Amino acid sequence: MNRPDGLIQRRNVQKDSQDRSNKSDSDEDKRKDEGDDDMDDGDSKETRLTLMEEVLLLGLKDKEGYTSFWNDCISSGLRGCILIELALRGRVELEKAGLRRKSLLNRKVILRSETPTGDVLLDEALKHIKETDPPETVQSWIEFLSGESWNPLKLRYQLRNVRERLAKNMVEKGVLTTEKQNFLVFDMTTHPLTDNVTKTKLVKKVQDSVLSRWVGDPQRMDRRTLALIYLAHASDVLENAFAPLSDDDYEVAMKRVRDLLDLDLDVEAAKPNANDLMWSVFAAFIK
């Protein structure tokens, strides 16, 4: 699987309070113990976007309504998002590491629940995982869902028109609109931004996660936000969120993202309450 070499470069541009803080940390730990089995964890009551939609929204040009023609990473990145979304909703998980302590990339994806999610893309991927025996690794599933497998028997697992389907979902949510644009030799359906508030909040969430809300410990970060940072980087769209920052903030943000990318992912996945499938997806792109 191809991925950019490292981070892309920027293109120009008192006791009671302590008790409350401890209670907040305790509540967060309790939430992680209970698992992220549905969309209520981390979703606002406003416009709800899946992890896939957030990554695509970061990659879309606001006025033009399409992703960069030079971005060859977002396709596999979106498939990684699908696997993480299924894991956060409690539908899939990694097999146990076992006594031999298999590495993240060698452990297989197994079904945890076959209950439909209500999202067509997620349920399509879930159906493939359910029907596959023996199970496959995270890396294999990213390749299968992207259509990058050399095995002709696995081509039926490819999820087609993912970007277009995600964009249509966001059109239904009022975030994007649909237009036809002529590119001399062909017409293309595009999806320009209509809801600037949603896009602005998304960009601010990414920025704040590595600036004002930075905690230094990935296990204390919101799982969806952590996944968004890793997958936005893997999809080559993280720069779009950081480009508006001042030079000083930009350098701090990039350094903290590098710190995340340099973690020992097997160690992080083995920590209590960690979602090891999520860390396995990260490992598939960072390896």
Side-chain angles (χ1 to χ4, degrees):
M1 184 186 317
N2 295 327
R3 70 171 195 89
D5 293 327
L7 286 163
I8 55 178
Q9 296 301 309
R10 187 185 191 190
R11 293 182 292 276
N12 223 353
V13 242
Q14 308 176 15
K15 186 176 184 304
D16 288 344
S17 62
Q18 183 178 0
D19 289 343
R20 286 195 298 270
S21 176
N22 291 339
K23 182 178 184 300
S24 176
D25 289 345
S26 176
D27 290 344
E28 174 68 9
D29 291 341
K30 181 179 178 182
R31 183 186 68 80
K32 290 182 178 179
D33 285 339
E34 293 170 349
D36 298 323
D37 289 355
D38 53 47
M39 280 297 288
D40 290 338
D41 97 292
D43 276 331
S44 71
K45 294 181 180 179
E46 301 166 8
T47 304
R48 291 184 173 184
L49 298 180
T50 63
L51 184 59
M52 305 89 74
E53 291 166 350
E54 288 182 325
V55 168
L56 180 60
L57 187 56
L58 286 177
L60 282 175
K61 301 174 183 290
D62 292 356
K63 295 180 179 179
E64 293 86 346
Y66 52 83
T67 58
S68 170
F69 294 126
W70 309 108
N71 187 338
D72 58 356
C73 303
I74 196 168
S75 178
S76 58
L78 290 173
R79 272 66 176 187
C81 289
I82 288 172
L83 292 177
I84 292 179
E85 190 73 52
L86 285 172
L88 292 180
R89 296 191 189 202
R91 300 314 195 273
V92 297
E93 61 187 1
L94 274 194
E95 65 175 344
K96 303 304 179 185
L99 296 176
R100 298 177 62 184
R101 303 301 301 173
K102 286 184 180 179
S103 69
L104 285 171
L105 293 179
N106 289 326
R107 292 160 64 186
K108 306 299 178 65
V109 178
I110 58 177
L111 190 69
R112 181 178 172 188
S113 169
E114 59 184 70
T115 304
T117 66
D119 181 286
V120 176
L121 272 174
L122 293 179
D123 289 342
E124 189 175 333
L126 185 63
K127 180 175 180 289
H128 292 326
I129 294 172
K130 174 187 174 183
E131 295 175 350
T132 299
D133 187 29
E136 299 283 356
T137 64
V138 160
Q139 176 136 17
S140 293
W141 273 116
I142 292 173
E143 293 172 356
F144 297 161
L145 298 176
S146 302
E148 297 176 356
S149 172
W150 291 98
N151 186 342
L153 298 178
K154 304 297 185 181
L155 292 178
R156 64 191 180 93
Y157 293 144
Q158 181 179 2
L159 298 181
R160 302 182 182 277
N161 304 316
V162 167
R163 272 176 272 188
E164 179 65 18
R165 292 160 75 179
L166 290 173
K168 286 182 177 179
N169 286 347
M170 287 190 281
V171 170
E172 293 178 2
K173 295 175 181 180
V175 179
L176 306 177
T177 188
T178 301
E179 293 181 357
K180 287 283 188 181
Q181 288 197 31
N182 180 269
F183 289 85
L184 296 180
V185 295
F186 65 93
D187 290 331
M188 185 174 82
T189 301
T190 61
H191 299 282
L193 182 70
T194 56
D195 184 355
N196 290 302
V197 173
T198 295
K199 178 71 174 279
T200 299
K201 286 183 176 179
L202 174 60
V203 169
K204 190 174 189 304
K205 179 173 74 171
V206 176
Q207 293 174 352
D208 288 350
S209 67
V210 292
L211 293 173
S212 62
R213 300 184 65 183
W214 177 251
V215 293
D217 178 3
Q219 299 297 337
R220 295 176 57 203
M221 293 179 67
D222 173 72
R223 287 176 175 176
R224 288 184 175 276
T225 305
L226 180 64
L228 178 58
I229 294 171
Y230 270 98
L231 271 298
H233 170 259
S235 303
D236 203 7
V237 300
L238 188 59
E239 169 71 13
N240 297 345
F242 289 166
L245 293 173
S246 67
D247 290 344
D248 289 343
D249 282 347
Y250 179 85
E251 290 303 319
V252 172
M254 296 297 267
K255 179 186 181 303
R256 289 173 175 171
V257 171
R258 291 189 190 97
D259 289 343
L260 291 176
L261 298 175
D262 290 340
L263 291 170
D264 186 323
L265 305 187
D266 280 282
V267 170
E268 294 299 323
K271 292 181 178 180
N273 304 318
N275 188 308
D276 46 8
L277 191 144
M278 180 178 74
W279 288 100
S280 182
V281 172
F282 300 164
F285 289 103
I286 293 175
K287 66 176 189 357

